[in-house]
Amino acid sequence: IAGITQAPTSQILAAGRRMTLRCTQDMRHNAMYWYRQDLGLGLRLIHYSNTAGTTGKGEVPDGYSVSRANTDDFPLTLASAVPSQTSVYFCASSRGNEQFFGPGTRLTVL
Amino acid sequence: AQSVAQPEDQVNVAEGNPLTVKCTYSVSGNPYLFWYVQYPNRGLQFLLKYITGDNLVKGSYGFEAEFNKSQTSFHLKKPSALVSDSALYFCAVRDVNRDDKIIFGKGTRLHILP
């Protein structure tokens, strides 16, 4: 693994289903982030974690939860997906002032 | 609260001409400023950052940006555009006096016309 990986690459999900998006980094960065990217809205921060064991809410946290059990992994869970959560989701990590982004997960909720 | 604005949804430039992508910001303290580029179906890639020091910052692929404190701007520039520069560009800001959260603008789509 080099950098940040996200899984799955894409997913079509029925409304009401539970879904976890996975994110793993091998750079030993302390801080990690989840963003959603929507046309005309840019990137909006969902949740973040400054270090393992801590998490915080971003701009649009409702309907999403995260955990940070260790430095490398930062999964994002949709407990009961809704169509408005259709988006492209990006995970990122940082050490210092530069953020590194994963390739994204395209999620469609029907 | 910190914020960043990219007033142009799209910028069209002829190949070989200089390009500018505009960004203004608002923070309560001193800013850290960033530019990222996103190519189709890819994640964001770091281009350059301003932390302190010289107001003109040079970054990847021949891009540069000028920090202007009085105008609260951080416009991205390149002297001679390439068709391969066509992409989505994001400006971002972090307030030095706050936590690690970086706020992104809505993005500007740059089209370089051959």
Side-chain angles (χ1 to χ4, degrees):
Chain A
I1 297 178
I4 299 180
T5 58
Q6 292 184 237
T9 301
S10 65
Q11 182 75 44
I12 299 174
L13 189 66
R17 297 295 297 270
R18 179 184 180 89
M19 177 72 190
T20 295
L21 307 185
R22 299 185 297 280
C23 174
T24 299
Q25 54 109 354
D26 65 353
M27 298 175 283
R28 308 302 294 172
H29 287 169
N30 287 326
M32 296 187 74
Y33 312 83
W34 274 105
Y35 295 90
R36 58 178 289 174
Q37 183 178 20
D38 302 288
L39 191 64
L41 298 175
L43 271 75
R44 293 181 292 170
L45 181 65
I46 304 171
H47 285 287
Y48 66 96
S49 169
N50 287 334
T51 189
T54 69
T55 62
K57 293 181 179 180
E59 300 173 72
V60 288
D62 295 343
Y64 305 95
S65 63
V66 291
S67 61
R68 188 86 184 278
N70 57 62
T71 297
D72 297 345
D73 301 301
F74 191 44
L76 176 74
T77 297
L78 289 67
S80 179
V82 296
S84 62
Q85 292 177 310
T86 294
S87 187
V88 181
Y89 292 85
F90 288 100
C91 179
S93 70
S94 71
R95 183 169 57 202
N97 296 302
E98 183 177 338
Q99 287 196 349
F100 298 83
F101 285 81
T105 294
R106 184 174 296 275
L107 181 67
T108 303
V109 182
L110 301 176
Chain B
Q2 60 201 57
S3 65
V4 59
Q6 294 180 243
E8 303 153 316
D9 292 335
Q10 182 169 310
V11 172
N12 297 322
V13 177
E15 185 178 24
N17 282 2
L19 69 87
T20 299
V21 183
K22 296 179 180 178
C23 172
T24 59
Y25 66 91
S26 175
V27 297
S28 58
N30 292 319
Y32 291 164
L33 294 155
F34 310 85
W35 276 101
Y36 286 81
V37 59
Q38 184 182 32
Y39 298 101
N41 301 311
R42 302 288 296 275
L44 275 70
Q45 298 177 31
F46 172 81
L47 270 182
L48 52 80
K49 65 183 176 185
Y50 170 82
I51 303 298
T52 187
D54 194 348
N55 289 343
L56 185 63
V57 178
K58 295 187 182 296
S60 306
Y61 311 120
F63 284 93
E64 58 188 27
E66 185 168 12
F67 170 61
N68 187 317
K69 188 173 184 177
S70 63
Q71 297 184 5
T72 62
S73 67
F74 190 57
H75 301 330
L76 181 70
K77 299 180 179 182
K78 187 172 182 180
S80 178
L82 301 173
V83 173
S84 57
D85 293 329
S86 298
L88 188 57
Y89 290 81
F90 290 95
C91 182
V93 66
R94 176 190 162 203
D95 190 328
V96 173
N97 298 323
R98 294 172 60 88
D99 57 30
D100 287 339
K101 289 182 287 185
I102 295 176
I103 301 298
F104 286 83
K106 295 183 179 181
T108 298
R109 187 163 297 282
L110 179 63
H111 286 286
I112 307 303
L113 309 171

